[in-house]
Amino acid sequence: MEVLKIATAGSVDDGKSTLIGRLLYDTKSLTTDKIEAIEKSSKQKGYDYLDFSLATDGLVAEREQGITIDVAHIYFSTTKKSYIIADTPGHVEYTRNMVTGASTSQVSIILIDARKGVIEQTYRHFFINNLLRVKEVIVAVNKMDLVDYSEEVYNKIKADFQALNSKSSFKEQNVSYIPLSAINGGNVADKSENMPWYNGQTVLEHLEALEPEDVFETGKARFPVQTVIRPKTEEYHDFRGYAGKLYGNNIKVGDAVTVLPSLTESKVTKIHFFDKQFDEATAGSSITLELENDINVTRGDMIVKSDELPKIEKEINTTICWMDSKKLVAGTKYLVQHNTNRVLVKIESVKNVIATDYSGVTPATQLSINEIGEVTIKLSKALYFDAYNDNKSNGAFILIDVATNTTAGVGFIN
């Protein structure tokens, strides 16, 4: 695993930015001038500790208010892995930002303030991770220093979260619990001497121990074509390759494949990765495929194994997280961006709004900003897709406003 993508979630002042800053500090990923700036700012504020949240809060408003407003992406590495952390805001009005940050992550860290325990926002954060099918969730019970490192407090929060976890329909999800104190580094990268009753891994140890099979979902191989490569040079006069990123599963030389939507069949003859050739490509690889016969393949087409065809339909039932201030109502037209394919669509019906506290659904005819609901969509031409639960990459899409070209919502095919 070269890169592990992590999303954080938590309410205001649960310590997300502090935890990330502490990880950066303990892995020696902060530059000297950044550490000096943190030391200087902490002194100016009269703190007797280093305020590591300053390492991640990039917006002036964030630093002034001590809250996270937008999604910040933070990069750091250890000798084992490289990490990208999406530090997402926890407020209910920033639900769309949290969905954006978690949508590409393989691991989620949900922070809980040990003084407050499981609260309403915890339900929403966990619901979104269920919706996005994030396989690995770390429940970080933070600020243990403010409850005298009480094992009893930790066990109560763990029991409450386990009760919440029982409501989840995503049974493949692995949930781990770690008590910590981000501000002084206890159980972040190093074991805390103040919690001898906890004998599990630290946050960093847990992340380092994760293997690809722990966090990546496997499905059927899907290869959306991004571009057709025709060099037409003397050396590669007749070369015709199809470039894109492979999702879901591996593909091999010799595999019988079908090109969608034309349903033309062929066979993989060569797999190129930059200037090298391979007999097999793994999911997540950006590659160029050569096929046995010259057939009509263009950007927006999809190459799949012939015995693993997706669904091909002109109407889809979806779950949508709405991100636009303009409400989503039946009859409106949008563009659906599905992999490399862009299709004009009409909203057939808005069925309901889904409560993010697991209390059920409410019948509705529209979705407002930050609401999640079930929506039926009619497409101007057939889409070749899988249910999101079967193949995340081929079951997700975004809705684009035709007039403004803004991303209005993100959807998951049921």
Side-chain angles (χ1 to χ4, degrees):
M1 182 189 298
E2 294 182 356
V3 180
L4 185 66
K5 297 177 182 177
I6 306 164
T8 60
S11 303
V12 180
D13 292 334
D14 279 353
K16 299 187 304 297
S17 298
T18 303
L19 171 62
I20 297 168
R22 188 81 213 189
L23 271 172
L24 296 176
Y25 181 76
D26 287 345
T27 56
K28 296 179 172 54
S29 301
L30 291 175
T31 58
T32 304
D33 60 333
K34 189 76 172 179
I35 294 172
E36 288 173 353
I38 291 171
E39 289 172 345
K40 182 180 177 182
S41 180
S42 298
K43 278 183 182 177
Q44 286 175 345
K45 292 181 177 181
Y47 297 158
D48 58 356
Y49 57 86
L50 294 181
D51 182 7
F52 288 113
S53 67
L54 299 169
T56 62
D57 287 339
L59 301 175
V60 174
E62 292 179 323
R63 293 196 295 269
E64 287 176 351
Q65 299 176 61
I67 63 170
T68 300
I69 296 172
D70 204 354
V71 178
H73 288 90
I74 299 98
Y75 304 81
F76 74 99
S77 298
T78 64
T79 54
K80 285 188 176 181
K81 289 189 183 80
S82 293
Y83 297 91
I84 303 174
I85 300 182
D87 184 18
T88 63
H91 301 64
V92 65
E93 64 266 32
Y94 298 126
T95 297
R96 54 183 177 162
N97 302 64
M98 187 186 165
V99 171
T100 303
S103 62
T104 57
S105 299
Q106 292 98 35
V107 180
S108 181
I109 300 176
I110 299 178
L111 274 89
I112 296 176
D113 188 326
R115 299 167 301 173
K116 301 174 184 175
V118 174
I119 60 175
E120 181 188 347
Q121 293 200 64
T122 311
Y123 277 66
R124 189 175 73 258
H125 299 150
F126 188 56
F127 177 87
I128 289 172
N129 279 287
N130 287 171
L131 176 66
L132 296 171
R133 296 184 70 81
V134 178
K135 285 184 75 175
E136 189 72 28
V137 172
I138 299 172
V139 178
V141 183
N142 192 24
K143 304 195 178 184
M144 290 298 296
D145 52 303
L146 300 181
V147 293
D148 297 323
Y149 302 100
S150 168
E151 182 181 9
E152 185 181 346
V153 170
Y154 166 73
N155 285 336
K156 171 68 166 60
I157 292 171
K158 182 177 177 180
D160 289 345
F161 200 97
Q162 285 173 329
L164 169 59
N165 189 20
S166 67
K167 300 174 186 286
S168 169
S169 60
F170 183 26
K171 300 307 177 186
E172 296 85 358
Q173 193 172 56
N174 180 53
V175 180
S176 305
Y177 303 87
I178 302 176
L180 56 91
S181 173
I183 207 158
N184 59 36
N187 286 341
V188 177
D190 302 310
K191 288 274 173 64
S192 171
E193 295 178 358
N194 297 306
M195 291 177 274
W197 44 265
Y198 173 74
N199 54 17
Q201 295 174 313
T202 66
V203 173
L204 187 60
E205 284 172 346
H206 188 92
L207 295 174
E208 294 278 84
L210 290 175
E211 297 293 339
E213 57 268 22
D214 296 328
V215 294
F216 290 109
E217 284 197 289
T218 55
K220 295 173 181 177
R222 302 293 183 242
F223 187 74
V225 177
Q226 291 186 14
T227 188
V228 179
I229 297 177
R230 293 294 310 278
K232 294 185 179 178
T233 61
E234 194 62 43
E235 187 179 358
Y236 299 102
H237 191 271
D238 295 320
F239 183 91
R240 184 193 295 266
Y242 310 105
K245 188 172 182 177
L246 178 63
Y247 297 96
N249 216 321
N250 299 0
I251 202 162
K252 300 176 184 177
V253 170
D255 279 345
V257 294
T258 299
V259 180
L260 302 171
S262 66
L263 294 175
T264 310
E265 296 184 350
S266 189
K267 188 178 288 186
V268 177
T269 55
K270 291 179 183 176
I271 299 173
H272 300 269
F273 178 77
F274 189 49
D275 59 347
K276 295 182 174 63
Q277 284 190 37
F278 294 91
D279 291 330
E280 184 174 8
T282 57
S285 304
S286 295
I287 54 174
T288 299
L289 296 181
E290 278 190 77
L291 301 183
E292 188 174 54
N293 45 340
D294 289 339
I295 53 180
N296 183 25
V297 182
T298 62
R299 173 179 168 83
D301 288 354
M302 181 179 288
I303 297 173
V304 302
K305 293 180 183 179
S306 295
D307 58 351
E308 296 180 351
L309 294 181
K311 294 177 182 176
I312 306 173
E313 296 177 13
K314 293 182 72 173
E315 183 170 303
I316 52 176
N317 293 311
T318 70
T319 300
I320 288 179
C321 174
W322 194 240
M323 300 178 169
D324 201 351
S325 55
K326 184 170 66 178
K327 289 180 171 62
L328 177 67
V329 295
T332 49
K333 292 183 179 178
Y334 290 90
L335 287 169
V336 155
Q337 181 75 50
H338 176 255
N339 291 316
T340 53
N341 208 0
R342 188 170 283 197
V343 180
L344 184 65
V345 305
K346 185 177 84 170
I347 305 303
E348 183 72 6
S349 66
V350 177
K351 297 178 180 177
N352 54 52
V353 173
I354 304 171
T356 57
D357 62 357
Y358 292 92
S359 60
V361 299
T362 304
T365 57
Q366 61 182 29
L367 288 184
S368 301
I369 189 169
N370 289 313
E371 286 187 332
I372 298 171
E374 292 183 343
V375 178
T376 301
I377 296 175
K378 274 200 169 178
L379 306 112
S380 59
K381 63 177 183 178
L383 210 61
Y384 16 102
F385 63 90
D386 298 282
Y388 185 77
N389 288 356
D390 297 330
N391 191 306
K392 290 171 72 170
S393 63
N394 202 39
F397 61 90
I398 62 172
L399 281 172
I400 302 170
D401 189 298
V402 179
T404 63
N405 209 37
T406 57
T407 300
V410 59
F412 312 96
I413 301 173
N414 298 333

